[in-house]
Amino acid sequence: LEFGGNMKNIGLIIFIIVLCFIGVLCLLYPVKVQKIAIKSVSQGYLTRNSALESFIKSEKYLIVVRASGFVAILMFCFLMRAFFRNL
């Protein structure tokens, strides 16, 4: 299986696709991301920290999720540009 000459390109493409998926998820469905985070904290997957749990339940967390999505989409664009310039 070759794409662009080597396996590094395939790994980079997979990373770029995952980054795009995470960015779109954070931008379009921040409340669902918040629900997943609340569930993870309440079930003890992450540390049992009341300050963390209260932050995740706040509106400020949604702003952080949206900002993370924006940064992920921005990185996706830069990586795609760099990838196709170096083919």
Side-chain angles (χ1 to χ4, degrees), residues 38-54:
I38 290 170
K39 184 178 175 182
S40 297
V41 169
S42 66
Q43 289 183 350
Y45 294 136
L46 302 172
T47 59
R48 283 294 235 169
N49 187 343
S50 60
L52 176 64
E53 193 170 352
S54 63

Side-chain angles (χ1 to χ4, degrees), residues 1-47:
L1 180 67
E2 285 190 356
F3 181 79
N6 60 23
M7 292 298 287
K8 286 183 186 178
N9 288 341
I10 293 173
L12 183 60
I13 289 172
I14 291 171
F15 177 72
I16 290 171
I17 291 170
V18 168
L19 196 60
C20 180
F21 175 75
I22 290 171
V24 168
L25 185 69
C26 288
L27 282 175
L28 297 181
Y29 305 106
V31 176
K32 287 187 179 188
V33 172
Q34 184 182 37
K35 287 179 183 179
I36 292 169
I38 290 170
K39 184 178 175 182
S40 297
V41 169
S42 66
Q43 289 183 350
Y45 294 136
L46 302 172
T47 59

